[in-house]
Amino acid sequence: MNQNKGFYITTPIYYVNDIPHIGHAYTTLSADILARYMRIKGRKVFFLTGTDEHGQKVERAARERGRFPKEHADIMVENFKDLWKVLNIQNDAFIRTTDEEHKKIVQQLLQKLYDRGEIEKRKYSGMYCTPCERFWTVKDLIEGKCPDCGRDVEFIEEENYFFLMSKYQNSLIAHIEKNPSYILPETRKNEVLSFLKNKPLGDLCISRPRQRLQWGIPLPFDENYTTYVWFDALINYYSALQYLAPKDTEWWPPDHHLIGKDILITHAVYWSTMLLALEIPLPRNIFAHGWWTVKGAKMSKSLGNVVNPYEVVKKYGVDAFRYFLFREVSFGLDGDFSEEAIIRRINNDLANDLGNLVNRFIVMNEKYMGGKIKPQWIDEDFTVEVQKIISEIEKESLWDEFKFNIILEKIWELISLTNNYIAKTEPWKVAKENSEKLPHILFNIWNAIRVIAVFLYPFMPDSGKKIWNALGLESYKIDYNMFKWKTEIKEVETKKIEQIFPRIDVTKENKQEQKNRENKMEELIAIDDFLKIKLKVGKVIEAERVKGSEKLIKLIVDIGEKRQIVAGIGKSYSPEELLGKSIIVVSNLKPAKLMGLESQGMLLAATSSDGTISILTVDREVNPGSGIK
């Protein structure tokens, strides 16, 4: 890798007319998390986001409000900038397609392609949706209406300019197949390959007649036409580097383009072929994440179920919101948002696990050591276990593939390990014995919390910093050296801290209902009944999603023989995560059909109170088919 290559990460540029919602927040927060982590590691980082500000809808909205389009965009863009501040997002630049520098670069690239014969003028006809500013074929229409917005379309025939995208179909297929991580997750890559292999790739209309679309960038070779969105908005990833990025670092190609799955083809096909034609290296990765739904339904204004990030942050706090989004589901899959779920995460994970750990330690250290902490390096089982978890969290593949929920699970393993260490060592008892062990025990707890604070910082910057300062580290920088168990830190003094995440009270009725459920007696079975169940160790050798289902995954499992098992674990696991796992299988269950597929057994898994599924596995290498007693 070029030593001067900086880490370059982007979000899509958001349509300036939109009111920012949870989807915008989700994409931009994911970029912020990885950017912060890379800065901690010492990388030079350029994190870009921005807004798409041209088009008929912007022009129409401005006219309705008695404004010029640029004046309207200047007002609307503040919605996004304000939200990024509220969400504690530290982007390095914010590009607007109305920037003069951006417009010049778009025209330069268009002229370059035109001169090479990559753009040609031809007559075009199709069904046109004015609100969406988009042509559709008759086959695309749903009951004669626009498949996107459901409104009426009209037949239009006109001359336009086309980018000869079809020339690059085979080149793009070859690039994707040669570079498996170019499009992630795997399901999105397969979706793009299917799109490219199953039908000829057409050419891309990149203009609109000037009389129909005036608010945009004029084509440099024909001012009677305006550049359409593809060759305006998508160019931002390249143009921003020419005038917004530091010049002392090489940024291209981007390390990650982060997008929602609804604009996958736009980026993976349109943008990729544009770069191929321009002979500009393709990005290292395009990652298309899933959607947030509410009770399984896609968010929409008409349903009135759009989640407003401002309201969530006001009610629960920014760090709780950031944590919930990336702990609740695997990044890449769809997730279901509910206030009940976020409250569970706050009470169970943040208040009980993390908050109590920090506060217990600060109180104990103040009581027994007057707040003083001095390094006490003694090797023992606890330090070995901590260092093992640190190495797992630092795995490059976890961060590079946006496996944020797994990273957070590992951080919580470290929190749990530290809480268990306190319970095991019982510092309060050691203090009564006036033992020399006490400073060492408290230092170990302090040091574990220090590492936890560093890893939490990209996800929850305010909370990570509060914990950091409470540990007496305000004069130390959170950097790569702080990931390590052994540091150069000398004596410090801890400081009292208010409860970082106070528990959220639920109604008495809910509490009682929960208690009733927990206290409910389970039905008892005889040992003879239990012995009828045959449990075996199975190794997952194939895994794929069941078409048409968000929950079901089809597994081929080796239990001494190959068995097909269909399991409802798709919201907690991706197929890739399951490959190679040694799981527990009920092998003598009668076959059952799920969505037309026969399931020849059942795997064992636990479900937490928030609905997260954890598969039961064996902790040592065991031959597939081994019986469990």
Side-chain angles (χ1 to χ4, degrees), residues 313-441:
V313 169
K314 185 179 179 181
K315 193 169 184 179
Y316 301 110
V318 62
D319 278 359
F321 181 56
R322 289 174 65 118
Y323 173 76
F324 170 78
L325 290 179
F326 297 98
R327 180 68 193 271
E328 189 70 5
V329 295
S330 296
F331 192 66
L333 302 181
D334 290 349
D336 203 60
F337 182 89
S338 73
E339 292 203 34
E340 293 83 2
I342 196 170
I343 289 171
R344 280 197 297 270
R345 286 292 181 190
I346 290 170
N347 286 346
N348 297 341
D349 300 359
L350 301 179
N352 286 1
D353 298 340
L354 174 62
N356 284 346
L357 170 63
V358 174
N359 281 278
R360 283 172 75 195
F361 166 72
I362 296 295
V363 169
M364 284 192 296
N365 196 58
E366 180 74 21
K367 181 177 179 180
Y368 303 135
M369 305 299 297
K372 304 289 185 186
I373 281 289
K374 192 172 181 179
Q376 307 275 331
W377 301 114
I378 302 173
D379 289 331
E380 58 173 47
D381 291 344
F382 179 67
T383 62
V384 171
E385 290 180 78
V386 171
Q387 287 175 312
K388 181 184 175 185
I389 296 175
I390 290 173
S391 65
E392 290 173 352
I393 296 172
E394 285 189 292
K395 281 182 182 175
E396 189 176 330
S397 61
L398 290 182
W399 295 91
D400 204 40
E401 296 173 17
F402 296 88
K403 294 185 176 179
F404 293 140
N405 66 318
I406 294 176
I407 293 166
L408 286 166
E409 284 172 12
K410 295 293 179 186
I411 295 171
W412 251 253
E413 281 182 25
L414 186 50
I415 291 169
S416 177
L417 179 69
T418 310
N419 274 320
N420 290 339
Y421 178 76
I422 293 173
K424 181 181 176 182
T425 56
E426 298 180 314
W428 49 92
K429 286 187 178 179
V430 177
K432 289 178 182 178
E433 298 164 2
N434 198 23
S435 170
E436 293 180 0
K437 290 182 181 178
L438 185 61
H440 168 61
I441 292 170

Side-chain angles (χ1 to χ4, degrees), residues 96-113:
R96 300 175 61 186
T97 55
T98 50
D99 292 346
E100 290 302 320
E101 298 91 339
H102 168 77
K103 291 191 280 188
K104 287 175 186 175
I105 294 164
V106 168
Q107 290 185 318
Q108 289 169 8
L109 296 180
L110 282 166
Q111 188 67 54
K112 190 175 186 178
L113 290 179

Side-chain angles (χ1 to χ4, degrees), residues 283-338:
R284 191 167 65 82
N285 166 249
I286 298 170
F287 196 106
H289 65 72
W291 289 330
W292 279 94
T293 58
V294 175
K295 295 181 180 178
K298 187 180 175 183
M299 294 182 198
S300 72
K301 292 178 185 176
S302 59
L303 292 174
N305 65 348
V306 177
V307 175
N308 183 336
Y310 285 103
E311 292 177 0
V312 179
V313 169
K314 185 179 179 181
K315 193 169 184 179
Y316 301 110
V318 62
D319 278 359
F321 181 56
R322 289 174 65 118
Y323 173 76
F324 170 78
L325 290 179
F326 297 98
R327 180 68 193 271
E328 189 70 5
V329 295
S330 296
F331 192 66
L333 302 181
D334 290 349
D336 203 60
F337 182 89
S338 73

Side-chain angles (χ1 to χ4, degrees), residues 189-208:
K189 181 186 78 173
N190 294 337
E191 184 182 327
V192 174
L193 284 174
S194 176
F195 176 85
L196 289 168
K197 289 180 175 181
N198 290 338
K199 60 181 178 180
L201 186 63
D203 295 328
L204 187 65
C205 182
I206 62 162
S207 69
R208 294 290 185 267

